[in-house]
Amino acid sequence: MSKLPNTPASIFSVMSQLANKHNAINLSQGFPNFDVDSRLLEISKKLLNENIHQYTPMVGLPSLLEKIADLTERNYQRKIKTSSELLITTGATQGIYTTINTFIGFGDEVIILDPSYDSYEPSVMVAGGKPIRISLNEDYSPNFNRIEDAITVKTKMIIVNNPHNPTGKIWREQEFEALETILEKYPEILLLSDEVYEYISFKHSHISINSRPKLRDRAIIASSFGKSLHVTGWKVGYLIAPEMLMSEIKKIHQFLVFSINSIAQYVISEYLDVVDFKEVAKMYSKKRTLFQNLLKASRFQILPSEGTYFQVVNYSEISDKGDMEFAKELIIKHGIAAIPISVFHKDGTDKKMLRFCFAKTEDTLTAAAEKLVHI
Ligand SMILES: Cc1ncc(COP(=O)(O)O)c(C=O)c1O
């Protein structure tokens, strides 16, 4: 018996393997290929010889919790209690999985907005819940009529992801207001807000659920230091939620992981004293501008990328093949790996879009663009 009978291997592994096989430039999976900050490495080397190798408290290293609380207050004017409203997790993935498995039971419905990140649906299914996948608008903004129409007595949770993977869309003030208006009518519905790209936004600032008093008391917010500090392999993230919700999440968390990697927590805690997240956004903004400018000479249509480190393009001027076929062809014939957007849709909606990850060195982006302009 399988709990996930129709879940194939992750598209990210499939595309990365194919990219390796064909020696292609890999702009598919969302991970940086540039050096991590040398200050982070120095702190790591220094701390490795210290007494940092045993279990930390279950909720997380106290100094790291304090620094996250400071960061949250500085950025979002929300005061959080480190003892009861914060939890360090093994990346956002575990935080999301644990949250869903804490609150979702057999038959509960969870609204997911498509295209959506691939971990939400299987986490709901393992919990015995029913994913209800609702399409975003054509421009990838949320469609509140569809969201409200999808709410039933069984709806237990809505998952939102902002800034959005794969489209790079950022919610505006009026979108939060629309969500608040709907949810006021349904006090029992929980909100899971995946904000792993919170520090990667460009023209429009990221609005966090942390700064929405009407939403945050029913919300669980997931963040990822893997994304914010470009150390995806460290797998350190955290959840923020009101005590009433967090106390339930902790009960599950303690039997899933208990406490997470001590070394990474100590190092990140010290690094947070020196890192400036505005610099992180600036660094990605530069890469985005470079990649977009280079692609202007191609036949790909460049869609807006307002946040994250993803650039979506439309290739309908080049081919009328389906996006999966086109993405495979791109690897095999042209040596570039991307992710077809249809895989983020439950119904396989295919608008001839690909997602490129621009968290890469300038050399990699330039080499990739040189190939893309000739297609
Ligand atoms: C939208 C979204 N949520 C969650 C995650 C997982 O984050 P982590 O690596 O911290 O588990 C990712 C990673 O790609 C993501 O894109």
Side-chain angles (χ1 to χ4, degrees):
M1 214 270 291
S2 168
K3 284 199 166 184
L4 298 171
N6 302 316
T7 302
S10 145
I11 183 72
F12 308 109
S13 316
V14 172
M15 286 303 175
S16 285
Q17 273 168 20
L18 200 62
N20 290 342
K21 187 170 161 202
H22 293 275
N23 215 4
I25 300 175
N26 191 354
L27 304 189
S28 64
Q29 213 170 347
F31 64 87
N33 79 337
F34 44 87
D35 292 342
V36 299
D37 187 342
S38 57
R39 294 172 301 179
L40 187 67
L41 296 181
E42 286 310 315
I43 295 169
S44 308
K45 282 187 214 153
K46 184 190 79 179
L47 288 183
L48 267 182
N49 291 320
E50 295 186 13
N51 179 19
I52 63 167
H53 301 282
Q54 307 308 330
Y55 292 134
T56 63
M58 195 264 278
V59 292
L61 183 72
S63 66
L64 181 57
L65 296 172
E66 287 300 334
K67 286 178 194 174
I68 294 170
D70 284 350
L71 204 60
T72 308
E73 188 168 359
R74 249 183 292 134
N75 288 322
Y76 306 125
Q77 294 71 53
R78 179 182 190 182
K79 274 188 193 298
I80 44 173
K81 289 192 215 93
T82 51
S83 56
S84 54
E85 296 179 325
L86 195 50
L87 179 69
I88 311 290
T89 57
T90 304
T93 308
Q94 184 245 316
I96 291 166
Y97 181 89
T98 309
T99 299
I100 291 172
N101 277 272
T102 300
F103 297 112
I104 300 306
F106 187 75
D108 289 338
E109 294 180 356
V110 178
I111 295 179
I112 297 173
L113 309 180
D114 272 3
S116 60
Y117 182 61
D118 68 346
S119 88
Y120 309 147
E121 166 147 332
S123 303
V124 171
M125 289 175 65
V126 170
K130 189 170 168 202
I132 305 291
R133 307 213 11 196
I134 304 298
S135 293
L136 293 166
N137 287 320
E138 280 295 301
D139 68 353
Y140 298 126
S141 59
N143 183 312
F144 290 102
N145 291 332
R146 275 187 225 142
I147 292 174
E148 191 158 13
D149 286 349
I151 294 176
T152 72
V153 287
K154 291 187 181 163
T155 307
K156 197 74 188 280
M157 180 182 279
I158 298 182
I159 304 180
V160 299
N161 168 214
N162 176 48
H164 186 245
N165 176 12
T167 67
K169 187 86 183 166
I170 290 203
W171 282 33
R172 307 289 200 277
E173 176 68 26
Q174 67 269 22
E175 282 150 355
F176 287 95
E177 285 167 7
L179 185 64
E180 284 161 4
T181 305
I182 294 178
L183 287 186
E184 259 173 16
K185 298 179 222 164
Y186 304 96
E188 302 300 322
I189 296 180
L190 297 175
L191 187 62
L192 170 54
S193 181
D194 177 346
E195 302 187 18
V196 299
Y197 299 102
E198 64 190 314
Y199 294 115
I200 313 177
S201 64
F202 308 118
K203 204 165 123 207
H204 304 278
S205 302
H206 167 63
I207 300 175
S208 172
I209 296 286
N210 278 307
S211 59
R212 308 301 299 187
K214 288 189 184 163
L215 295 173
R216 66 191 180 197
D217 288 345
R218 62 164 90 207
I220 304 98
I221 299 165
S223 296
S224 169
F225 284 122
K227 305 291 178 188
S228 309
L229 305 178
H230 37 95
V231 284
T232 56
W234 287 30
K235 295 298 292 186
V236 183
Y238 57 94
L239 294 177
I240 297 176
E243 180 170 1
M244 197 183 53
L245 301 177
M246 188 60 94
S247 58
E248 292 303 312
I249 296 173
K250 282 183 200 166
K251 290 182 195 168
I252 308 280
H253 174 86
Q254 68 181 328
F255 297 115
L256 195 58
V257 278
F258 191 70
S259 63
I260 73 128
N261 185 305
S262 63
I263 303 172
Q265 290 192 73
Y266 277 94
V267 174
I268 291 175
S269 171
E270 197 163 323
Y271 182 59
L272 286 181
D273 291 338
V274 294
V275 70
D276 177 356
F277 287 106
K278 287 199 186 79
E279 293 300 319
V280 174
K282 263 193 220 156
M283 184 256 307
Y284 282 118
S285 172
K286 223 173 121 198
K287 291 184 186 298
R288 167 179 160 273
T289 306
L290 170 75
F291 191 53
Q292 287 187 341
N293 284 341
L294 292 168
L295 280 193
K296 278 183 189 151
S298 77
R299 289 191 292 157
F300 291 96
Q301 186 203 337
I302 305 164
L303 273 75
S305 163
E306 299 173 338
T308 75
Y309 42 53
F310 301 117
Q311 174 64 58
V312 175
V313 299
N314 182 299
Y315 63 84
S316 48
E317 261 189 50
I318 302 172
S319 169
D320 53 16
K321 291 195 173 129
D323 66 359
M324 182 63 93
E325 194 183 343
F326 186 75
K328 287 186 176 161
E329 194 177 290
L330 201 61
I331 295 178
I332 295 163
K333 279 201 194 158
H334 304 287
I336 303 284
I339 299 287
I341 297 289
S342 66
V343 301
F344 297 90
H345 288 270
K346 178 68 179 172
D347 62 5
T349 296
D350 183 350
K351 295 183 185 156
K352 307 205 183 319
M353 307 275 199
L354 298 177
R355 187 199 80 178
F356 291 117
C357 170
F358 57 78
K360 306 292 169 190
T361 62
E362 288 192 6
D363 285 352
T364 303
L365 294 174
T366 308
E370 265 167 26
K371 290 175 186 276
L372 292 169
V373 295
H374 291 112
I375 296 171

